[in-house]
Amino acid sequence: MRQDVLPRAADRSETPPAAAEPPRRRHRYWAAYLALLPTVALIGLFAYEPAINGIIHSFFTWRPGFTSTFTGLANYERMLTDELWWSSVANLGYVFVFGIFTWIVPFIAAQLVISLSRRRAQFVFRTVLILPIAFPQIVTLLIWSFMYHPQDGVLNSLLSGIGLDGLRQNWLGDPGLALLSLLVIGFPWVAGLPFLIFLTALQNIPQEIFEAAALDGAGRIRRIFSIDIPLMASQFTLLLFLAVISTLQYGMAAFVLTGGGPDNATQFPILRMLAAAFSGRDWGYAATLSTTLFAVTLVFGLFVLATQRRRNRV
Amino acid sequence: MSRTRRNDLLISIALTVIAFLGLFPYLFMVITSFKSTEQFYENYWLPAFPLHLDNYARAWEQIQPYMTVTLIVAAGTIAATILLGSVAATVLARHRPPGHKVILGLISALMMVPSIASIIPLFVLMRDLGLLDSVIGLIIPMTVAGVVFAVIVLHNYIKQIPREMYEAAMLDGAGGIRMYFSIVLPVIRPAIGTVALISVINVWNEYFWPSLIISDNSLRTIPVGLQFFKGQTSTDWGAQFAGFFIASLPMLLLFTFLSKQFLAGMRGGLSVDR
């Protein structure tokens, strides 16, 4: 269809287009707004309305379906003195630090992959290493919940198998181990965004730079610290901010595997928020917690946008 | 030459170990999915024969409704996302009515805020609209997330279509609708594929929303249904793992055949990670 439009249009190129412009334009805007209407309505009703409504009701004792009373900052004051909330925020700190620490493995894996001399082998290993992300998250979580199973689980069976029966643990049921067990999920943590980003960045470093470094007698370790890492600075910055944002949303693993227990050892802000609304029937307080999460995420989101803008301009 | 060879061999061994560790839980799942309970306890680590395909039959019976609902939700989300997203992106990138920058800005802003942050008020809204326990209630939030992503991606694509193509079509008397079908749609087709793929991945991974609004077992999507299924099969490990594997197959197939788009989607999609 496109092919026959072009030649015919060329035939008519002598008609002055300006003459037909004004009435057409007005008509076009009317139609344009009509075409935008469903999208704008959808986003307005189901994205902006809840966001704004949540912010407003964070200042209320919110009883959906009944009259809500304005209580000012009471919910926020309560949040500031809510110890369970603060311990759930502290757990986010562990998630973040542990998450950054695990980047060592994808970094080493990416280094190894680019050191392979054949492109074909690089591609094969990249695909196999990244394959775990092709499984649905819920499947990964449920399999790991089996890995930690106290009787039949892989971890305990392995310990018994090598004669270390004494080290068998109730991995998810022990308050001292549950959080660590959740963090270890996905070991060796290669299949993910950091690996993809490290690999692309390393593949994009011109071969001549590596060769020049080798000529200067720089060893592998030296090269990593004085060439690779500085050249990847912007990728690290981006990954760091993305890690902050995904950490703020952390909660599914805890919700599925431990439900926040045992003894609140694996509480996270999202779990607190849902519990406030659905168990405590405390919708206003839940709205306060979600507004807080929303505000913090927005701040970091703006950072990501700013760094990406800068990167695109360079 | 032999040095490069030896190097390659050592690196390959190291990478194979890392890959094996990462894939081990999934391998264990597949191997165990073919075992009967006796085989599981007698022969924990290695494959056992004969293969018990009846595990798959039992699992499928329970998983099948979840798969159907998930496919319906995914199809509805894809259709709505592509229709709304491509039309909106075309209007915003090409026709540019006054205020188009504000609208695009308001849509892009949603990329930065995860939907989990407003899940509580969204739940109240859906309850007021009577959409709890409904397929529409599942499709709408997925479509909102999809449309935000689609508008941003497609807008970039459409902006790059040379102006001359539109002018030529306009002189030919083509209106907005015909231009959409004959110029815009063919150009954005590859991007539409990525957008659709991301919708599928999102539907297959979204956990909190369906777990909140669905209580009817026949309306559970895979993430929530599979957790329920795990409770139902408690120590029938063979059937349980068969179910997990069946539930993974659609995404595994997409990864196998569209790995490039899959990974591109991960990159673009993870900053919107839900």
Side-chain angles (χ1 to χ4, degrees):
Chain A
M1 204 173 209
R2 201 168 58 194
Q3 281 148 342
D4 66 23
V5 166
L6 294 175
R8 272 196 285 143
D11 292 344
R12 290 201 211 158
S13 64
E14 268 148 55
T15 332
E21 200 73 343
R24 225 192 148 125
R25 199 156 253 266
R26 216 174 305 132
H27 164 75
R28 200 175 65 182
Y29 288 150
W30 176 81
Y33 287 122
L34 190 71
L36 280 177
L37 184 65
T39 304
V40 171
L42 180 84
I43 292 206
L45 181 58
F46 293 102
Y48 277 94
E49 194 274 347
I52 294 166
N53 203 19
I55 295 171
I56 293 172
H57 280 93
S58 70
F59 301 103
F60 280 79
T61 297
W62 188 8
R63 291 184 302 162
F66 301 94
T67 339
S68 305
T69 38
F70 181 75
T71 47
L73 290 171
N75 286 330
Y76 286 91
E77 282 164 18
R78 187 177 151 197
M79 177 180 82
L80 291 177
T81 56
D82 182 344
E83 277 179 31
L84 211 45
W85 168 256
W86 287 112
S87 72
S88 75
V89 172
N91 282 346
L92 286 187
Y94 291 118
V95 170
F96 180 73
V97 173
F98 191 90
I100 306 288
F101 167 76
T102 62
W103 289 356
I104 293 173
V105 191
F107 186 80
I108 292 173
Q111 287 281 354
L112 290 172
V113 170
I114 59 150
S115 307
L116 288 164
S117 59
R118 278 169 306 155
R119 279 257 149 196
R120 177 87 202 147
Q122 290 191 5
F123 175 78
V124 169
F125 273 111
R126 188 206 66 165
T127 308
V128 175
L129 285 166
I130 208 73
L131 182 61
I133 60 161
F135 286 87
Q137 278 165 26
I138 189 71
V139 169
T140 300
L141 291 178
L142 294 178
I143 295 176
W144 275 87
S145 114
F146 170 79
M147 303 276 283
Y148 291 134
H149 191 278
Q151 279 87 45
D152 298 341
V154 166
L155 235 58
N156 280 347
S157 302
L158 186 67
L159 288 170
S160 293
I162 55 174
L164 293 172
D165 267 297
L167 289 180
R168 286 172 71 105
Q169 306 287 345
N170 187 358
W171 300 101
L172 294 169
D174 181 337
L177 283 173
L179 182 60
L180 185 66
S181 301
L182 288 184
L183 295 179
V184 169
I185 289 175
F187 175 84
W189 317 289
V190 172
L193 196 63
F195 175 69
L196 289 175
I197 290 185
F198 293 151
L199 190 61
T200 318
L202 287 172
Q203 280 172 337
N204 286 342
I205 296 176
Q207 202 60 44
E208 294 80 51
I209 295 185
F210 290 148
E211 281 160 15
L215 278 179
D216 284 348
R220 168 140 225 137
I221 305 292
R222 175 87 196 280
R223 198 201 80 200
I224 290 176
F225 283 102
S226 47
I227 296 178
D228 299 9
I229 292 181
L231 280 177
M232 288 159 76
S234 69
Q235 278 90 348
F236 279 118
T237 321
L238 178 69
L239 269 178
L240 259 156
F241 284 123
L242 289 177
V244 174
I245 291 176
S246 66
T247 301
L248 287 166
Q249 297 167 63
Y250 186 89
M252 181 175 165
F255 198 91
V256 173
L257 268 67
T258 62
D263 205 13
N264 286 319
T266 56
Q267 276 297 346
F268 288 97
I270 285 178
L271 271 64
R272 290 297 306 138
M273 174 184 93
L274 295 175
F278 291 95
S279 318
R281 300 273 140 205
D282 213 339
W283 295 85
Y285 187 50
T288 303
L289 301 184
S290 76
T291 302
T292 306
L293 275 178
F294 177 90
V296 177
T297 316
L298 190 66
V299 169
F300 283 101
L302 290 170
F303 271 117
V304 173
L305 203 70
T307 47
Q308 266 178 330
R309 278 261 168 82
R310 205 172 332 126
R311 213 160 57 123
N312 289 347
R313 237 183 293 135
V314 172
Chain B
M1 168 201 136
S2 83
R3 219 193 120 174
T4 331
R5 261 240 175 110
R6 213 191 54 200
N7 248 345
D8 271 8
L9 185 69
L10 289 174
I11 294 170
S12 299
I13 292 171
L15 286 172
T16 306
V17 171
I18 299 176
F20 175 77
L21 289 173
L23 287 170
F24 175 78
Y26 307 99
L27 282 174
F28 191 90
M29 165 186 88
V30 174
I31 291 172
T32 309
S33 73
F34 291 106
K35 289 181 187 172
S36 69
T37 309
E38 298 81 62
Q39 285 172 328
F40 173 81
Y41 287 110
E42 277 165 25
N43 198 345
Y44 186 84
W45 298 104
L46 296 172
F49 297 94
L51 301 179
H52 278 265
L53 291 167
D54 54 298
N55 289 340
Y56 279 82
R58 252 178 306 145
W60 173 246
E61 206 177 303
Q62 288 190 64
I63 294 285
Q64 181 265 329
Y66 309 142
M67 293 285 268
T68 313
V69 174
T70 314
L71 286 174
I72 293 172
V73 172
T77 303
I78 290 173
T81 300
I82 288 173
L83 180 69
L84 294 176
S86 66
V87 169
T90 308
V91 172
L92 292 174
R94 183 47 53 195
H95 303 284
R96 299 184 191 175
H100 72 274
K101 277 194 179 151
V102 178
I103 296 174
L104 185 66
L106 285 171
I107 294 175
S108 318
L110 292 171
M111 278 286 267
M112 292 184 299
V113 183
S115 57
I116 187 89
S118 51
I119 200 166
I120 302 283
L122 185 64
F123 179 87
V124 175
L125 174 68
M126 290 288 193
R127 200 198 60 149
D128 293 345
L129 294 173
L131 290 174
L132 300 186
D133 251 330
S134 73
V135 170
I136 300 288
L138 289 171
I139 292 178
I140 288 174
M142 307 298 324
T143 304
V144 170
V147 163
V148 169
F149 182 73
V151 166
I152 293 167
V153 171
L154 299 178
H155 183 267
N156 271 334
Y157 246 83
I158 297 166
K159 253 191 341 199
Q160 283 158 19
I161 301 177
R163 176 166 281 279
E164 292 75 39
M165 273 175 84
Y166 296 98
E167 277 162 6
M170 252 167 71
L171 290 172
D172 191 43
I177 294 172
R178 213 177 117 197
M179 261 195 255
Y180 169 79
F181 281 107
S182 60
I183 297 182
V184 176
L185 269 192
V187 172
I188 62 175
R189 197 177 298 152
I192 282 184
T194 310
V195 168
L197 189 68
I198 285 178
S199 290
V200 177
I201 298 174
N202 279 345
V203 170
W204 239 269
N205 281 332
E206 175 62 26
Y207 174 81
F208 283 111
W209 182 248
S211 82
L212 294 181
I213 71 158
I214 299 298
S215 52
D216 179 351
N217 186 38
S218 65
L219 286 179
R220 288 195 167 115
T221 52
I222 283 293
V224 183
L226 216 55
Q227 198 188 4
F228 181 75
F229 167 75
K230 182 184 185 325
Q232 296 291 298
T233 47
S234 56
T235 53
D236 185 358
W237 301 117
Q240 193 176 110
F241 289 159
F244 294 174
F245 191 44
I246 295 172
S248 309
L249 282 175
M251 271 180 59
L252 286 175
L253 286 175
L254 289 175
F255 180 82
T256 309
F257 293 108
L258 302 165
S259 77
K260 212 172 124 200
Q261 289 90 330
F262 200 100
L263 296 179
M266 282 276 305
R267 265 174 251 201
L270 256 179
S271 51
V272 255
D273 187 17
R274 305 179 37 98

